[in-house]
Amino acid sequence: MKLTELLKHNRSNHYQLLVIVDNSRSPQNIIKVLEKQGWKACNVNHAILRLMGDIPPDKLKLRIADNIKKWVLSLPDKVVFYNVNILYSPDLGKMTPIGAFKYRSRNKELVIILEGQLVGNRLIYSEPGRPDYSEMDVEELICVRREDIDV
């Protein structure tokens, strides 16, 4: 499917969060296309590390979600997020990329590029038993594998 068609469908979805599952670890081709269309690209790992700097380590799990919310609200209306693996960290309370951005996508068009396995309406990251293992429900979102997208 063409990226432009996916974005059009995403715009009409209640949660305007397009999830692109990309295990190639090279999101740049999608990011470059979106940037040419006026989207802002955000490296989530870098942003979260900056946000963590203001929080005492013993308060991190309690305060990081609020800081992420404020950060996302300060961004423009069209954002593509990449390098999101830090959000699976147990140090952050096992938040997930879907959980961090889903509700913000009611008022903004968001694209998130992440690694994982798409199994039905579930997105699985890591392996059972590992501290960063996560299963996310993506039923309400448009979720597509990178290899199924024509840029």
Side-chain angles (χ1 to χ4, degrees):
M1 182 173 255
K2 291 197 171 283
L3 181 60
T4 53
E5 286 299 311
L6 287 166
L7 292 170
K8 181 180 174 184
H9 291 299
N10 191 51
R11 241 175 261 122
S12 64
N13 207 18
H14 178 72
Y15 296 108
Q16 298 177 72
L17 177 59
L18 173 61
V19 179
I20 300 174
V21 181
D22 183 6
N23 293 310
S24 69
R25 296 191 177 137
S26 57
Q28 291 306 319
N29 53 356
I30 297 270
I31 291 170
K32 285 179 185 177
V33 169
L34 291 173
E35 285 180 324
K36 286 180 185 175
Q37 296 175 15
W39 289 68
K40 177 173 178 59
C42 291
N43 182 326
V44 174
N45 285 350
H46 291 165
I48 298 300
L49 290 172
R50 269 194 321 274
L51 293 173
M52 288 170 59
D54 298 336
I55 303 172
D58 61 325
K59 303 286 187 199
L60 187 59
K61 288 181 184 179
L62 298 171
R63 294 187 184 166
I64 193 65
D66 193 47
N67 283 17
I68 292 170
K69 177 183 175 181
K70 290 175 187 172
W71 169 63
V72 173
L73 289 173
S74 75
L75 295 172
D77 288 339
K78 293 183 177 186
V79 183
V80 56
F81 296 107
Y82 66 101
N83 288 344
V84 301
N85 294 354
I86 195 169
L87 293 173
Y88 297 110
S89 171
D91 295 337
L92 301 181
K94 285 205 56 169
M95 155 182 327
T96 67
I98 302 300
F101 303 120
K102 181 178 175 181
Y103 293 101
R104 309 302 155 255
S105 70
R106 290 177 293 184
N107 302 316
K108 295 178 182 278
E109 283 185 72
L110 305 177
V111 172
I112 185 167
I113 302 171
L114 46 70
E115 298 172 32
Q117 297 291 339
L118 190 55
V119 181
N121 289 326
R122 313 278 308 155
L123 184 61
I124 300 169
Y125 179 81
S126 192
E127 296 177 20
R130 291 185 47 137
D132 61 351
Y133 177 75
S134 184
E135 285 191 31
M136 297 158 278
D137 181 8
V138 292
E139 185 175 5
E140 298 175 304
L141 307 173
I142 297 173
C143 191
V144 64
R145 292 175 185 87
R146 169 59 189 102
E147 57 266 22
D148 297 332
I149 300 174
D150 295 326
V151 180

PDB file of all heavy atoms in Angstrom, residues 49-79:
ATOM      1  N   LEU A  49      15.887  10.546  27.102  1.00  0.00           N
ATOM      2  CA  LEU A  49      17.091  10.754  27.923  1.00  0.00           C
ATOM      3  C   LEU A  49      17.159  12.197  28.418  1.00  0.00           C
ATOM      4  O   LEU A  49      17.529  12.444  29.567  1.00  0.00           O
ATOM      5  CB  LEU A  49      18.348  10.371  27.145  1.00  0.00           C
ATOM      6  CG  LEU A  49      18.515   8.868  26.907  1.00  0.00           C
ATOM      7  CD1 LEU A  49      19.684   8.598  25.965  1.00  0.00           C
ATOM      8  CD2 LEU A  49      18.687   8.118  28.220  1.00  0.00           C
ATOM      9  N   ARG A  50      16.783  13.156  27.573  1.00  0.00           N
ATOM     10  CA  ARG A  50      16.744  14.568  28.000  1.00  0.00           C
ATOM     11  C   ARG A  50      15.687  14.762  29.089  1.00  0.00           C
ATOM     12  O   ARG A  50      15.924  15.436  30.082  1.00  0.00           O
ATOM     13  CB  ARG A  50      16.422  15.481  26.811  1.00  0.00           C
ATOM     14  CG  ARG A  50      17.622  16.000  26.070  1.00  0.00           C
ATOM     15  CD  ARG A  50      17.284  17.152  25.142  1.00  0.00           C
ATOM     16  NE  ARG A  50      16.020  17.039  24.422  1.00  0.00           N
ATOM     17  CZ  ARG A  50      15.845  16.415  23.257  1.00  0.00           C
ATOM     18  NH1 ARG A  50      16.852  15.823  22.675  1.00  0.00           N
ATOM     19  NH2 ARG A  50      14.659  16.395  22.685  1.00  0.00           N
ATOM     20  N   LEU A  51      14.503  14.181  28.887  1.00  0.00           N
ATOM     21  CA  LEU A  51      13.420  14.326  29.871  1.00  0.00           C
ATOM     22  C   LEU A  51      13.781  13.682  31.207  1.00  0.00           C
ATOM     23  O   LEU A  51      13.396  14.169  32.262  1.00  0.00           O
ATOM     24  CB  LEU A  51      12.128  13.697  29.332  1.00  0.00           C
ATOM     25  CG  LEU A  51      11.489  14.374  28.124  1.00  0.00           C
ATOM     26  CD1 LEU A  51      10.324  13.534  27.602  1.00  0.00           C
ATOM     27  CD2 LEU A  51      11.034  15.776  28.469  1.00  0.00           C
ATOM     28  N   MET A  52      14.518  12.592  31.168  1.00  0.00           N
ATOM     29  CA  MET A  52      14.917  11.892  32.390  1.00  0.00           C
ATOM     30  C   MET A  52      15.887  12.715  33.221  1.00  0.00           C
ATOM     31  O   MET A  52      15.928  12.573  34.442  1.00  0.00           O
ATOM     32  CB  MET A  52      15.572  10.545  32.040  1.00  0.00           C
ATOM     33  CG  MET A  52      14.603   9.505  31.532  1.00  0.00           C
ATOM     34  SD  MET A  52      15.411   8.032  30.855  1.00  0.00           S
ATOM     35  CE  MET A  52      16.353   7.459  32.265  1.00  0.00           C
ATOM     36  N   GLY A  53      16.637  13.592  32.572  1.00  0.00           N
ATOM     37  CA  GLY A  53      17.641  14.388  33.268  1.00  0.00           C
ATOM     38  C   GLY A  53      17.074  15.276  34.358  1.00  0.00           C
ATOM     39  O   GLY A  53      17.773  15.643  35.304  1.00  0.00           O
ATOM     40  N   ASP A  54      15.804  15.631  34.251  1.00  0.00           N
ATOM     41  CA  ASP A  54      15.167  16.520  35.229  1.00  0.00           C
ATOM     42  C   ASP A  54      14.475  15.782  36.365  1.00  0.00           C
ATOM     43  O   ASP A  54      13.877  16.412  37.238  1.00  0.00           O
ATOM     44  CB  ASP A  54      14.121  17.396  34.528  1.00  0.00           C
ATOM     45  CG  ASP A  54      14.721  18.304  33.480  1.00  0.00           C
ATOM     46  OD1 ASP A  54      15.922  18.611  33.583  1.00  0.00           O
ATOM     47  OD2 ASP A  54      13.997  18.697  32.555  1.00  0.00           O
ATOM     48  N   ILE A  55      14.531  14.456  36.341  1.00  0.00           N
ATOM     49  CA  ILE A  55      13.770  13.663  37.314  1.00  0.00           C
ATOM     50  C   ILE A  55      14.723  12.883  38.219  1.00  0.00           C
ATOM     51  O   ILE A  55      15.610  12.180  37.721  1.00  0.00           O
ATOM     52  CB  ILE A  55      12.836  12.669  36.584  1.00  0.00           C
ATOM     53  CG1 ILE A  55      11.895  13.401  35.625  1.00  0.00           C
ATOM     54  CG2 ILE A  55      12.032  11.845  37.592  1.00  0.00           C
ATOM     55  CD1 ILE A  55      11.092  12.485  34.733  1.00  0.00           C
ATOM     56  N   PRO A  56      14.561  12.966  39.538  1.00  0.00           N
ATOM     57  CA  PRO A  56      15.390  12.144  40.433  1.00  0.00           C
ATOM     58  C   PRO A  56      15.149  10.656  40.126  1.00  0.00           C
ATOM     59  O   PRO A  56      14.006  10.260  39.855  1.00  0.00           O
ATOM     60  CB  PRO A  56      14.883  12.489  41.834  1.00  0.00           C
ATOM     61  CG  PRO A  56      14.108  13.754  41.688  1.00  0.00           C
ATOM     62  CD  PRO A  56      13.621  13.813  40.280  1.00  0.00           C
ATOM     63  N   PRO A  57      16.199   9.838  40.155  1.00  0.00           N
ATOM     64  CA  PRO A  57      16.054   8.414  39.798  1.00  0.00           C
ATOM     65  C   PRO A  57      14.955   7.680  40.563  1.00  0.00           C
ATOM     66  O   PRO A  57      14.250   6.852  39.990  1.00  0.00           O
ATOM     67  CB  PRO A  57      17.427   7.822  40.125  1.00  0.00           C
ATOM     68  CG  PRO A  57      18.370   8.975  40.025  1.00  0.00           C
ATOM     69  CD  PRO A  57      17.588  10.189  40.456  1.00  0.00           C
ATOM     70  N   ASP A  58      14.760   8.014  41.830  1.00  0.00           N
ATOM     71  CA  ASP A  58      13.731   7.312  42.611  1.00  0.00           C
ATOM     72  C   ASP A  58      12.310   7.755  42.255  1.00  0.00           C
ATOM     73  O   ASP A  58      11.337   7.133  42.682  1.00  0.00           O
ATOM     74  CB  ASP A  58      13.985   7.495  44.112  1.00  0.00           C
ATOM     75  CG  ASP A  58      13.943   8.942  44.559  1.00  0.00           C
ATOM     76  OD1 ASP A  58      14.374   9.826  43.789  1.00  0.00           O
ATOM     77  OD2 ASP A  58      13.470   9.189  45.684  1.00  0.00           O
ATOM     78  N   LYS A  59      12.155   8.812  41.457  1.00  0.00           N
ATOM     79  CA  LYS A  59      10.839   9.314  41.049  1.00  0.00           C
ATOM     80  C   LYS A  59      10.561   9.071  39.566  1.00  0.00           C
ATOM     81  O   LYS A  59       9.498   9.440  39.058  1.00  0.00           O
ATOM     82  CB  LYS A  59      10.735  10.826  41.305  1.00  0.00           C
ATOM     83  CG  LYS A  59      10.992  11.234  42.722  1.00  0.00           C
ATOM     84  CD  LYS A  59       9.829  10.884  43.607  1.00  0.00           C
ATOM     85  CE  LYS A  59      10.069  11.465  44.990  1.00  0.00           C
ATOM     86  NZ  LYS A  59       9.273  10.854  45.998  1.00  0.00           N
ATOM     87  N   LEU A  60      11.509   8.438  38.874  1.00  0.00           N
ATOM     88  CA  LEU A  60      11.427   8.308  37.420  1.00  0.00           C
ATOM     89  C   LEU A  60      10.141   7.628  36.961  1.00  0.00           C
ATOM     90  O   LEU A  60       9.425   8.150  36.100  1.00  0.00           O
ATOM     91  CB  LEU A  60      12.646   7.543  36.890  1.00  0.00           C
ATOM     92  CG  LEU A  60      12.783   7.482  35.382  1.00  0.00           C
ATOM     93  CD1 LEU A  60      12.871   8.878  34.794  1.00  0.00           C
ATOM     94  CD2 LEU A  60      14.009   6.674  35.006  1.00  0.00           C
ATOM     95  N   LYS A  61       9.809   6.482  37.529  1.00  0.00           N
ATOM     96  CA  LYS A  61       8.621   5.738  37.092  1.00  0.00           C
ATOM     97  C   LYS A  61       7.341   6.538  37.320  1.00  0.00           C
ATOM     98  O   LYS A  61       6.379   6.391  36.581  1.00  0.00           O
ATOM     99  CB  LYS A  61       8.533   4.397  37.822  1.00  0.00           C
ATOM    100  CG  LYS A  61       9.565   3.397  37.366  1.00  0.00           C
ATOM    101  CD  LYS A  61       9.407   2.083  38.112  1.00  0.00           C
ATOM    102  CE  LYS A  61      10.507   1.128  37.728  1.00  0.00           C
ATOM    103  NZ  LYS A  61      10.405  -0.142  38.441  1.00  0.00           N
ATOM    104  N   LEU A  62       7.337   7.386  38.324  1.00  0.00           N
ATOM    105  CA  LEU A  62       6.154   8.174  38.641  1.00  0.00           C
ATOM    106  C   LEU A  62       5.981   9.393  37.747  1.00  0.00           C
ATOM    107  O   LEU A  62       4.865   9.796  37.450  1.00  0.00           O
ATOM    108  CB  LEU A  62       6.192   8.638  40.103  1.00  0.00           C
ATOM    109  CG  LEU A  62       6.201   7.544  41.161  1.00  0.00           C
ATOM    110  CD1 LEU A  62       6.462   8.143  42.531  1.00  0.00           C
ATOM    111  CD2 LEU A  62       4.866   6.796  41.147  1.00  0.00           C
ATOM    112  N   ARG A  63       7.091   9.995  37.320  1.00  0.00           N
ATOM    113  CA  ARG A  63       7.020  11.287  36.648  1.00  0.00           C
ATOM    114  C   ARG A  63       7.263  11.254  35.140  1.00  0.00           C
ATOM    115  O   ARG A  63       6.892  12.202  34.450  1.00  0.00           O
ATOM    116  CB  ARG A  63       8.026  12.244  37.283  1.00  0.00           C
ATOM    117  CG  ARG A  63       7.688  12.578  38.710  1.00  0.00           C
ATOM    118  CD  ARG A  63       8.595  13.645  39.235  1.00  0.00           C
ATOM    119  NE  ARG A  63       8.337  13.900  40.647  1.00  0.00           N
ATOM    120  CZ  ARG A  63       9.153  14.577  41.415  1.00  0.00           C
ATOM    121  NH1 ARG A  63      10.276  15.078  40.933  1.00  0.00           N
ATOM    122  NH2 ARG A  63       8.853  14.758  42.686  1.00  0.00           N
ATOM    123  N   ILE A  64       7.868  10.200  34.626  1.00  0.00           N
ATOM    124  CA  ILE A  64       8.263  10.215  33.214  1.00  0.00           C
ATOM    125  C   ILE A  64       7.055  10.308  32.277  1.00  0.00           C
ATOM    126  O   ILE A  64       7.103  11.011  31.276  1.00  0.00           O
ATOM    127  CB  ILE A  64       9.184   9.024  32.857  1.00  0.00           C
ATOM    128  CG1 ILE A  64       9.833   9.244  31.480  1.00  0.00           C
ATOM    129  CG2 ILE A  64       8.446   7.705  32.913  1.00  0.00           C
ATOM    130  CD1 ILE A  64      10.780  10.397  31.399  1.00  0.00           C
ATOM    131  N   ALA A  65       5.972   9.622  32.593  1.00  0.00           N
ATOM    132  CA  ALA A  65       4.795   9.649  31.704  1.00  0.00           C
ATOM    133  C   ALA A  65       4.249  11.071  31.562  1.00  0.00           C
ATOM    134  O   ALA A  65       3.884  11.491  30.457  1.00  0.00           O
ATOM    135  CB  ALA A  65       3.720   8.698  32.208  1.00  0.00           C
ATOM    136  N   ASP A  66       4.207  11.809  32.654  1.00  0.00           N
ATOM    137  CA  ASP A  66       3.719  13.187  32.597  1.00  0.00           C
ATOM    138  C   ASP A  66       4.654  14.061  31.761  1.00  0.00           C
ATOM    139  O   ASP A  66       4.201  14.902  30.993  1.00  0.00           O
ATOM    140  CB  ASP A  66       3.563  13.751  34.013  1.00  0.00           C
ATOM    141  CG  ASP A  66       2.779  15.044  34.015  1.00  0.00           C
ATOM    142  OD1 ASP A  66       1.719  15.099  33.373  1.00  0.00           O
ATOM    143  OD2 ASP A  66       3.240  16.011  34.666  1.00  0.00           O
ATOM    144  N   ASN A  67       5.956  13.857  31.904  1.00  0.00           N
ATOM    145  CA  ASN A  67       6.921  14.619  31.110  1.00  0.00           C
ATOM    146  C   ASN A  67       6.793  14.294  29.618  1.00  0.00           C
ATOM    147  O   ASN A  67       6.905  15.185  28.774  1.00  0.00           O
ATOM    148  CB  ASN A  67       8.346  14.349  31.585  1.00  0.00           C
ATOM    149  CG  ASN A  67       8.679  15.093  32.858  1.00  0.00           C
ATOM    150  OD1 ASN A  67       7.796  15.559  33.573  1.00  0.00           O
ATOM    151  ND2 ASN A  67       9.961  15.199  33.168  1.00  0.00           N
ATOM    152  N   ILE A  68       6.544  13.021  29.300  1.00  0.00           N
ATOM    153  CA  ILE A  68       6.361  12.627  27.900  1.00  0.00           C
ATOM    154  C   ILE A  68       5.100  13.289  27.348  1.00  0.00           C
ATOM    155  O   ILE A  68       5.098  13.817  26.231  1.00  0.00           O
ATOM    156  CB  ILE A  68       6.300  11.097  27.756  1.00  0.00           C
ATOM    157  CG1 ILE A  68       7.674  10.495  28.070  1.00  0.00           C
ATOM    158  CG2 ILE A  68       5.835  10.692  26.355  1.00  0.00           C
ATOM    159  CD1 ILE A  68       7.685   8.983  28.184  1.00  0.00           C
ATOM    160  N   LYS A  69       4.034  13.299  28.125  1.00  0.00           N
ATOM    161  CA  LYS A  69       2.782  13.922  27.700  1.00  0.00           C
ATOM    162  C   LYS A  69       3.004  15.400  27.374  1.00  0.00           C
ATOM    163  O   LYS A  69       2.585  15.890  26.318  1.00  0.00           O
ATOM    164  CB  LYS A  69       1.728  13.778  28.797  1.00  0.00           C
ATOM    165  CG  LYS A  69       0.416  14.454  28.486  1.00  0.00           C
ATOM    166  CD  LYS A  69      -0.554  14.316  29.652  1.00  0.00           C
ATOM    167  CE  LYS A  69      -1.821  15.101  29.394  1.00  0.00           C
ATOM    168  NZ  LYS A  69      -2.753  15.013  30.507  1.00  0.00           N
ATOM    169  N   LYS A  70       3.674  16.116  28.263  1.00  0.00           N
ATOM    170  CA  LYS A  70       3.945  17.538  28.032  1.00  0.00           C
ATOM    171  C   LYS A  70       4.807  17.746  26.793  1.00  0.00           C
ATOM    172  O   LYS A  70       4.569  18.667  26.008  1.00  0.00           O
ATOM    173  CB  LYS A  70       4.642  18.145  29.258  1.00  0.00           C
ATOM    174  CG  LYS A  70       3.743  18.271  30.461  1.00  0.00           C
ATOM    175  CD  LYS A  70       4.524  18.761  31.664  1.00  0.00           C
ATOM    176  CE  LYS A  70       3.672  18.734  32.926  1.00  0.00           C
ATOM    177  NZ  LYS A  70       4.464  19.028  34.125  1.00  0.00           N
ATOM    178  N   TRP A  71       5.804  16.867  26.617  1.00  0.00           N
ATOM    179  CA  TRP A  71       6.685  16.969  25.453  1.00  0.00           C
ATOM    180  C   TRP A  71       5.894  16.767  24.168  1.00  0.00           C
ATOM    181  O   TRP A  71       6.016  17.567  23.229  1.00  0.00           O
ATOM    182  CB  TRP A  71       7.820  15.940  25.580  1.00  0.00           C
ATOM    183  CG  TRP A  71       8.630  15.771  24.343  1.00  0.00           C
ATOM    184  CD1 TRP A  71       9.403  16.719  23.727  1.00  0.00           C
ATOM    185  CD2 TRP A  71       8.765  14.589  23.564  1.00  0.00           C
ATOM    186  NE1 TRP A  71      10.005  16.184  22.604  1.00  0.00           N
ATOM    187  CE2 TRP A  71       9.622  14.881  22.489  1.00  0.00           C
ATOM    188  CE3 TRP A  71       8.245  13.300  23.672  1.00  0.00           C
ATOM    189  CZ2 TRP A  71       9.974  13.925  21.534  1.00  0.00           C
ATOM    190  CZ3 TRP A  71       8.596  12.356  22.725  1.00  0.00           C
ATOM    191  CH2 TRP A  71       9.451  12.675  21.671  1.00  0.00           C
ATOM    192  N   VAL A  72       5.070  15.737  24.101  1.00  0.00           N
ATOM    193  CA  VAL A  72       4.295  15.453  22.889  1.00  0.00           C
ATOM    194  C   VAL A  72       3.328  16.604  22.601  1.00  0.00           C
ATOM    195  O   VAL A  72       3.169  17.010  21.447  1.00  0.00           O
ATOM    196  CB  VAL A  72       3.549  14.102  22.994  1.00  0.00           C
ATOM    197  CG1 VAL A  72       2.617  13.899  21.805  1.00  0.00           C
ATOM    198  CG2 VAL A  72       4.539  12.956  23.082  1.00  0.00           C
ATOM    199  N   LEU A  73       2.696  17.149  23.626  1.00  0.00           N
ATOM    200  CA  LEU A  73       1.783  18.275  23.426  1.00  0.00           C
ATOM    201  C   LEU A  73       2.497  19.501  22.867  1.00  0.00           C
ATOM    202  O   LEU A  73       1.877  20.318  22.183  1.00  0.00           O
ATOM    203  CB  LEU A  73       1.061  18.613  24.725  1.00  0.00           C
ATOM    204  CG  LEU A  73       0.023  17.593  25.184  1.00  0.00           C
ATOM    205  CD1 LEU A  73      -0.502  17.943  26.570  1.00  0.00           C
ATOM    206  CD2 LEU A  73      -1.114  17.458  24.189  1.00  0.00           C
ATOM    207  N   SER A  74       3.792  19.633  23.136  1.00  0.00           N
ATOM    208  CA  SER A  74       4.552  20.792  22.650  1.00  0.00           C
ATOM    209  C   SER A  74       4.992  20.637  21.186  1.00  0.00           C
ATOM    210  O   SER A  74       5.469  21.595  20.587  1.00  0.00           O
ATOM    211  CB  SER A  74       5.793  20.999  23.525  1.00  0.00           C
ATOM    212  OG  SER A  74       6.791  20.031  23.229  1.00  0.00           O
ATOM    213  N   LEU A  75       4.811  19.449  20.628  1.00  0.00           N
ATOM    214  CA  LEU A  75       5.252  19.177  19.259  1.00  0.00           C
ATOM    215  C   LEU A  75       4.208  19.645  18.244  1.00  0.00           C
ATOM    216  O   LEU A  75       3.040  19.821  18.582  1.00  0.00           O
ATOM    217  CB  LEU A  75       5.515  17.678  19.093  1.00  0.00           C
ATOM    218  CG  LEU A  75       6.664  17.113  19.927  1.00  0.00           C
ATOM    219  CD1 LEU A  75       6.699  15.583  19.837  1.00  0.00           C
ATOM    220  CD2 LEU A  75       7.996  17.707  19.497  1.00  0.00           C
ATOM    221  N   PRO A  76       4.630  19.806  16.978  1.00  0.00           N
ATOM    222  CA  PRO A  76       3.655  20.190  15.938  1.00  0.00           C
ATOM    223  C   PRO A  76       2.590  19.099  15.729  1.00  0.00           C
ATOM    224  O   PRO A  76       2.640  18.043  16.364  1.00  0.00           O
ATOM    225  CB  PRO A  76       4.510  20.348  14.683  1.00  0.00           C
ATOM    226  CG  PRO A  76       5.912  20.105  15.054  1.00  0.00           C
ATOM    227  CD  PRO A  76       5.976  19.668  16.474  1.00  0.00           C
ATOM    228  N   ASP A  77       1.663  19.350  14.820  1.00  0.00           N
ATOM    229  CA  ASP A  77       0.534  18.453  14.608  1.00  0.00           C
ATOM    230  C   ASP A  77       0.852  17.208  13.774  1.00  0.00           C
ATOM    231  O   ASP A  77       0.020  16.310  13.684  1.00  0.00           O
ATOM    232  CB  ASP A  77      -0.622  19.207  13.956  1.00  0.00           C
ATOM    233  CG  ASP A  77      -1.278  20.171  14.924  1.00  0.00           C
ATOM    234  OD1 ASP A  77      -1.123  19.991  16.148  1.00  0.00           O
ATOM    235  OD2 ASP A  77      -1.939  21.119  14.452  1.00  0.00           O
ATOM    236  N   LYS A  78       2.011  17.160  13.138  1.00  0.00           N
ATOM    237  CA  LYS A  78       2.400  15.990  12.342  1.00  0.00           C
ATOM    238  C   LYS A  78       3.811  15.573  12.759  1.00  0.00           C
ATOM    239  O   LYS A  78       4.777  16.281  12.467  1.00  0.00           O
ATOM    240  CB  LYS A  78       2.376  16.300  10.852  1.00  0.00           C
ATOM    241  CG  LYS A  78       0.992  16.565  10.314  1.00  0.00           C
ATOM    242  CD  LYS A  78       1.029  16.785   8.818  1.00  0.00           C
ATOM    243  CE  LYS A  78      -0.374  16.966   8.277  1.00  0.00           C
ATOM    244  NZ  LYS A  78      -0.374  17.033   6.815  1.00  0.00           N
ATOM    245  N   VAL A  79       3.883  14.415  13.438  1.00  0.00           N
ATOM    246  CA  VAL A  79       5.168  13.968  13.992  1.00  0.00           C
ATOM    247  C   VAL A  79       5.387  12.501  13.665  1.00  0.00           C
ATOM    248  O   VAL A  79       4.467  11.690  13.771  1.00  0.00           O
ATOM    249  CB  VAL A  79       5.208  14.164  15.526  1.00  0.00           C
ATOM    250  CG1 VAL A  79       6.568  13.762  16.089  1.00  0.00           C
ATOM    251  CG2 VAL A  79       4.873  15.583  15.904  1.00  0.00           C
TER     252      VAL A  79
END
